[in-house]
Every structure is written in structure tokens, then in C-alpha cells.
């Protein structure tokens, strides 16, 4: 008897969390009915609103983010431009360089940096959703609800990533 393979499919849920922050929840599921129930519960229990697909995604940029030690954004930008990488931004803060590029440029950007800077050590190496606007949650009740909300989502087996602008 051969074991049956399980079919997992991605699912994305969007909405507004505590303090009206925007939230994207990425899941991987073999049972969409269970997953929506599991994901809806943290929204319901924290007076948040699960929304329709696309309701907040347009307020996030889907970017490749590479971070490493350094202090010269000019050299980094030049290396990326020479490799014909479409760069969104290069920032330097506290001895760390952060490179932001379209998610489709991830491999090209990483390869260009590895070739230009021998032995480079990436402290940040991901494709993620970066919020265009940040929301400061200041109300103590909202802060407590936000922590509960994130904790409840983290406890969901099917949840892979949670992106927010708080």
C-alpha cells in the first residue's frame, strides 16, 4: 500500500488588525476550510477585520531585502548597477547596508553582491512585504490586542508568515 500524497496550496488573507494596522497572512494548507476558520479567529477575538483579497496588499511592496555590514551605499549601488540590477533603494544605517530590489531581482541582486564583495555575510536575506506606510499603535488596549493577535496567528499551524505595518 502506497502512502497518499497530501496536496498543500498557498492561501493569503488580508485585513485590518488592532489599532487599524494593515495585515497580510500567508498560509500553506491542505484544508482551506480549516485554515480560514483558524485565521478568522484571531481577527474576531481582537476586534479586527478580515478583508477581501487585495484590500491591503496594494499598501505593501513585494521586495527582495539583503542586509549586510558596511557603510558605503555608493559602492554597493555601483556594483548593482554594473550588474544591471533594478534597485529600489540602498540605505546605510548604523554600519549596516540594506538593499531593496523588486522580488523578481532577488537572485540577480544577491549574485551581484557576492561577486562584488568577496566573503559577504548576509544578515538579512529574504523576499518580503515591506509596508509603504507605518501605523503607530499607541493605545494600551490596542497594543495588548495586537500582541494577542500576532500570538494567536503564530499558533495557527498553517500560517507561514505575517506581514504588518505596525
Amino acid at each position: 500500500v502506497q502512502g497518499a500524497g497530501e496536496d498543500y496550496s498557498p492561501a493569503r488573507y488580508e485585513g485590518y488588525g488592532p489599532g487599524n494596522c494593515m495585515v497580510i497572512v500567508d498560509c500553506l494548507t491542505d484544508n482551506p476550510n480549516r485554515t480560514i476558520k483558524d485565521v478568522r479567529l484571531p481577527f474576531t477575538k481582537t476586534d479586527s477585520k478580515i478583508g477581501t483579497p487585495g484590500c491591503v496588499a496594494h499598501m505593501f511592496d513585494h521586495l527582495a531585502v539583503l542586509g549586510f555590514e558596511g557603510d558605503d551605499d555608493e559602492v554597493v549601488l555601483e556594483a548593482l548597477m554594473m550588474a544591471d540590477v533594478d534597485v529600489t533603494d540602498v540605505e546605510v544605517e548604523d554600519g549596516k547596508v540594506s538593499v531593496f530590489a523588486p522580488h523578481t531581482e532577488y537572485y540577480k541582486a544577491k549574485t551581484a553582491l557576492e561577486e562584488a564583495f568577496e566573503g559577504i555575510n548576509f544578515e538579512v536575506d529574504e523576499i518580503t512585504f515591506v509596508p509603504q506606510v507605518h501605523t503607530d499603535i499607541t493605545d494600551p488596549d490596542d497594543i495588548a490586542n495586537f500582541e494577542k493577535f500576532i500570538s494567536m496567528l503564530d499558533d495557527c499551524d498553517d500560517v507561514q508568515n505575517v506581514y504588518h505595518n505596525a
Side-chain angles (χ1 to χ4, degrees):
V1 178
Q2 264 187 322
E6 293 183 40
D7 287 333
Y8 284 89
S9 60
R12 175 169 294 151
Y13 304 99
E14 302 177 33
Y16 295 90
N20 215 26
C21 67
M22 293 181 282
V23 183
I24 297 174
V25 182
D26 276 348
C27 302
L28 193 60
T29 181
D30 61 344
N31 182 340
N33 293 331
R34 178 195 65 231
T35 303
I36 183 62
K37 193 175 99 245
D38 289 352
V39 170
R40 188 180 287 130
L41 187 64
F43 279 91
T44 307
K45 293 280 187 194
T46 58
D47 294 326
S48 302
K49 295 179 191 76
I50 199 162
T52 57
C55 68
V56 300
H58 67 282
M59 294 300 294
F60 288 79
D61 294 318
H62 198 197
L63 297 175
V65 182
L66 299 164
F68 49 93
E69 286 186 16
D71 54 18
D72 191 347
D73 55 339
E74 297 286 324
V75 175
V76 172
L77 189 56
E78 188 175 324
L80 292 165
M81 302 289 269
M82 294 301 287
D84 199 30
V85 176
D86 181 15
V87 182
T88 305
D89 196 11
V90 177
E91 297 175 357
V92 176
E93 192 176 318
D94 301 329
K96 307 274 187 223
V97 176
S98 297
V99 173
F100 299 88
H103 68 280
T104 53
E105 297 279 296
Y106 168 80
Y107 180 76
K108 204 170 167 185
K110 185 172 181 180
T111 304
L113 291 168
E114 288 172 337
E115 288 172 1
F117 306 103
E118 195 174 316
I120 191 169
N121 179 28
F122 294 104
E123 294 169 20
V124 179
D125 179 357
E126 63 186 0
I127 294 176
T128 187
F129 285 93
V130 178
Q132 297 168 3
V133 181
H134 283 274
T135 299
D136 290 325
I137 300 177
T138 53
D139 181 278
D141 290 343
D142 286 343
I143 293 170
N145 256 346
F146 180 78
E147 289 169 358
K148 176 182 175 184
F149 176 73
I150 295 296
S151 176
M152 288 178 76
L153 285 171
D154 285 344
D155 289 343
C156 294
D157 291 339
D158 295 340
V159 171
Q160 301 296 304
N161 289 301
V162 178
Y163 307 99
H164 59 80
N165 72 335

Short mmCIF file of all heavy atoms in Angstrom, two decimals, residues 61-90:
data_model
loop_
_atom_site.label_atom_id
_atom_site.label_comp_id
_atom_site.label_asym_id
_atom_site.label_seq_id
_atom_site.Cartn_x
_atom_site.Cartn_y
_atom_site.Cartn_z
N ASP A 61 5.00 46.78 -0.57
CA ASP A 61 5.85 46.49 -1.73
C ASP A 61 6.44 45.10 -1.54
O ASP A 61 6.97 44.80 -0.47
CB ASP A 61 6.98 47.52 -1.86
CG ASP A 61 6.45 48.91 -2.17
OD1 ASP A 61 5.54 49.03 -3.00
OD2 ASP A 61 6.96 49.88 -1.57
N HIS A 62 6.35 44.27 -2.57
CA HIS A 62 6.91 42.91 -2.52
C HIS A 62 8.37 43.03 -2.96
O HIS A 62 8.65 43.19 -4.15
CB HIS A 62 6.10 42.00 -3.44
CG HIS A 62 6.30 40.55 -3.18
ND1 HIS A 62 5.94 39.58 -4.08
CD2 HIS A 62 6.81 39.88 -2.12
CE1 HIS A 62 6.23 38.39 -3.58
NE2 HIS A 62 6.76 38.56 -2.40
N LEU A 63 9.29 42.97 -2.00
CA LEU A 63 10.69 43.27 -2.28
C LEU A 63 11.66 42.19 -1.83
O LEU A 63 11.40 41.47 -0.86
CB LEU A 63 11.10 44.57 -1.57
CG LEU A 63 10.38 45.85 -1.98
CD1 LEU A 63 10.83 47.00 -1.09
CD2 LEU A 63 10.65 46.17 -3.44
N ALA A 64 12.78 42.13 -2.53
CA ALA A 64 13.94 41.37 -2.06
C ALA A 64 14.70 42.31 -1.14
O ALA A 64 14.94 43.47 -1.48
CB ALA A 64 14.82 40.97 -3.24
N VAL A 65 15.06 41.83 0.05
CA VAL A 65 15.80 42.64 1.01
C VAL A 65 17.07 41.89 1.38
O VAL A 65 17.03 40.74 1.82
CB VAL A 65 14.96 42.93 2.28
CG1 VAL A 65 15.74 43.82 3.24
CG2 VAL A 65 13.63 43.56 1.93
N LEU A 66 18.21 42.56 1.17
CA LEU A 66 19.52 41.99 1.51
C LEU A 66 20.21 42.97 2.44
O LEU A 66 20.35 44.15 2.11
CB LEU A 66 20.34 41.75 0.24
CG LEU A 66 19.72 40.77 -0.75
CD1 LEU A 66 20.38 40.88 -2.11
CD2 LEU A 66 19.84 39.35 -0.23
N GLY A 67 20.64 42.48 3.60
CA GLY A 67 21.31 43.35 4.57
C GLY A 67 22.64 42.77 4.98
O GLY A 67 22.79 41.56 5.15
N PHE A 68 23.64 43.64 5.12
CA PHE A 68 24.99 43.19 5.48
C PHE A 68 25.76 44.36 6.07
O PHE A 68 25.33 45.52 5.98
CB PHE A 68 25.72 42.62 4.26
CG PHE A 68 25.66 43.52 3.04
CD1 PHE A 68 26.66 44.44 2.78
CD2 PHE A 68 24.57 43.44 2.18
CE1 PHE A 68 26.57 45.27 1.67
CE2 PHE A 68 24.48 44.28 1.07
CZ PHE A 68 25.50 45.20 0.81
N GLU A 69 26.90 44.06 6.70
CA GLU A 69 27.72 45.11 7.30
C GLU A 69 28.37 45.95 6.22
O GLU A 69 28.82 45.44 5.20
CB GLU A 69 28.81 44.49 8.20
CG GLU A 69 28.25 43.96 9.50
CD GLU A 69 29.35 43.49 10.45
OE1 GLU A 69 30.53 43.84 10.25
OE2 GLU A 69 29.01 42.77 11.39
N GLY A 70 28.42 47.26 6.47
CA GLY A 70 29.04 48.17 5.52
C GLY A 70 28.61 49.59 5.81
O GLY A 70 27.71 49.82 6.61
N ASP A 71 29.26 50.54 5.15
CA ASP A 71 28.90 51.94 5.39
C ASP A 71 28.96 52.80 4.12
O ASP A 71 28.86 54.01 4.19
CB ASP A 71 29.80 52.55 6.48
CG ASP A 71 31.27 52.37 6.17
OD1 ASP A 71 31.62 52.10 5.00
OD2 ASP A 71 32.08 52.50 7.10
N ASP A 72 29.11 52.16 2.95
CA ASP A 72 29.21 52.92 1.72
C ASP A 72 28.16 52.48 0.71
O ASP A 72 28.33 51.50 0.01
CB ASP A 72 30.63 52.77 1.12
CG ASP A 72 30.89 53.73 -0.02
OD1 ASP A 72 29.91 54.35 -0.52
OD2 ASP A 72 32.05 53.86 -0.42
N ASP A 73 27.07 53.23 0.65
CA ASP A 73 25.98 52.88 -0.26
C ASP A 73 26.36 53.12 -1.73
O ASP A 73 25.87 52.45 -2.62
CB ASP A 73 24.69 53.60 0.10
CG ASP A 73 24.84 55.12 0.16
OD1 ASP A 73 25.98 55.60 0.33
OD2 ASP A 73 23.82 55.81 0.07
N GLU A 74 27.29 54.06 -1.97
CA GLU A 74 27.70 54.37 -3.35
C GLU A 74 28.36 53.16 -4.02
O GLU A 74 28.04 52.82 -5.16
CB GLU A 74 28.70 55.55 -3.36
CG GLU A 74 28.12 56.85 -2.84
CD GLU A 74 27.16 57.52 -3.81
OE1 GLU A 74 27.41 57.43 -5.02
OE2 GLU A 74 26.16 58.10 -3.34
N VAL A 75 29.27 52.50 -3.30
CA VAL A 75 29.98 51.33 -3.83
C VAL A 75 28.99 50.19 -4.09
O VAL A 75 29.06 49.52 -5.12
CB VAL A 75 31.09 50.87 -2.85
CG1 VAL A 75 31.76 49.60 -3.33
CG2 VAL A 75 32.12 51.97 -2.66
N VAL A 76 28.07 50.00 -3.17
CA VAL A 76 27.06 48.95 -3.31
C VAL A 76 26.16 49.24 -4.51
O VAL A 76 25.92 48.36 -5.34
CB VAL A 76 26.22 48.82 -2.01
CG1 VAL A 76 25.06 47.87 -2.21
CG2 VAL A 76 27.10 48.36 -0.85
N LEU A 77 25.70 50.47 -4.61
CA LEU A 77 24.83 50.85 -5.72
C LEU A 77 25.54 50.68 -7.05
O LEU A 77 24.96 50.16 -8.01
CB LEU A 77 24.36 52.30 -5.54
CG LEU A 77 23.27 52.78 -6.49
CD1 LEU A 77 22.03 51.89 -6.41
CD2 LEU A 77 22.88 54.22 -6.17
N GLU A 78 26.81 51.08 -7.10
CA GLU A 78 27.58 50.94 -8.34
C GLU A 78 27.72 49.47 -8.74
O GLU A 78 27.55 49.12 -9.91
CB GLU A 78 28.97 51.57 -8.17
CG GLU A 78 29.74 51.64 -9.47
CD GLU A 78 31.06 52.39 -9.34
OE1 GLU A 78 31.12 53.37 -8.58
OE2 GLU A 78 32.01 51.96 -10.00
N ALA A 79 28.01 48.59 -7.78
CA ALA A 79 28.15 47.16 -8.06
C ALA A 79 26.84 46.60 -8.62
O ALA A 79 26.84 45.80 -9.56
CB ALA A 79 28.55 46.40 -6.80
N LEU A 80 25.72 47.02 -8.06
CA LEU A 80 24.41 46.54 -8.51
C LEU A 80 24.08 47.10 -9.90
O LEU A 80 23.55 46.38 -10.75
CB LEU A 80 23.32 46.92 -7.51
CG LEU A 80 23.41 46.19 -6.16
CD1 LEU A 80 22.55 46.87 -5.11
CD2 LEU A 80 23.03 44.73 -6.30
N MET A 81 24.41 48.36 -10.13
CA MET A 81 24.14 48.98 -11.44
C MET A 81 25.00 48.32 -12.53
O MET A 81 24.51 48.09 -13.63
CB MET A 81 24.44 50.49 -11.40
CG MET A 81 23.63 51.25 -10.36
SD MET A 81 21.91 51.41 -10.75
CE MET A 81 21.94 52.95 -11.62
N MET A 82 26.26 47.99 -12.21
CA MET A 82 27.14 47.35 -13.17
C MET A 82 26.61 45.97 -13.57
O MET A 82 26.84 45.50 -14.67
CB MET A 82 28.57 47.23 -12.62
CG MET A 82 29.28 48.56 -12.41
SD MET A 82 29.43 49.53 -13.93
CE MET A 82 30.68 48.62 -14.78
N ALA A 83 25.91 45.33 -12.64
CA ALA A 83 25.34 44.00 -12.91
C ALA A 83 23.93 44.13 -13.50
O ALA A 83 23.22 43.13 -13.64
CB ALA A 83 25.31 43.18 -11.63
N ASP A 84 23.51 45.37 -13.79
CA ASP A 84 22.21 45.62 -14.40
C ASP A 84 21.05 45.15 -13.52
O ASP A 84 20.07 44.59 -14.00
CB ASP A 84 22.14 44.96 -15.79
CG ASP A 84 21.03 45.57 -16.64
OD1 ASP A 84 20.73 46.77 -16.47
OD2 ASP A 84 20.46 44.84 -17.47
N VAL A 85 21.20 45.38 -12.20
CA VAL A 85 20.14 45.02 -11.26
C VAL A 85 19.22 46.23 -11.07
O VAL A 85 19.69 47.36 -10.88
CB VAL A 85 20.73 44.61 -9.88
CG1 VAL A 85 19.62 44.33 -8.88
CG2 VAL A 85 21.63 43.40 -10.03
N ASP A 86 17.94 46.01 -11.16
CA ASP A 86 16.94 47.06 -10.93
C ASP A 86 16.82 47.25 -9.42
O ASP A 86 16.22 46.44 -8.73
CB ASP A 86 15.60 46.63 -11.54
CG ASP A 86 14.53 47.68 -11.37
OD1 ASP A 86 14.85 48.84 -11.05
OD2 ASP A 86 13.34 47.34 -11.56
N VAL A 87 17.41 48.33 -8.91
CA VAL A 87 17.45 48.58 -7.46
C VAL A 87 16.35 49.56 -7.07
O VAL A 87 16.17 50.58 -7.71
CB VAL A 87 18.82 49.16 -7.05
CG1 VAL A 87 18.89 49.37 -5.55
CG2 VAL A 87 19.94 48.26 -7.51
N THR A 88 15.61 49.24 -6.00
CA THR A 88 14.59 50.14 -5.50
C THR A 88 15.22 51.17 -4.57
O THR A 88 14.94 52.35 -4.66
CB THR A 88 13.49 49.35 -4.73
OG1 THR A 88 12.98 48.34 -5.60
CG2 THR A 88 12.36 50.25 -4.28
N ASP A 89 16.12 50.70 -3.67
CA ASP A 89 16.75 51.60 -2.70
C ASP A 89 17.95 50.92 -2.06
O ASP A 89 17.99 49.70 -1.94
CB ASP A 89 15.73 51.97 -1.61
CG ASP A 89 16.14 53.19 -0.79
OD1 ASP A 89 17.11 53.89 -1.18
OD2 ASP A 89 15.49 53.45 0.23
N VAL A 90 18.93 51.74 -1.66
CA VAL A 90 20.06 51.27 -0.86
C VAL A 90 20.16 52.23 0.32
O VAL A 90 20.25 53.44 0.13
CB VAL A 90 21.39 51.27 -1.66
CG1 VAL A 90 22.55 50.84 -0.76
CG2 VAL A 90 21.30 50.36 -2.87
#
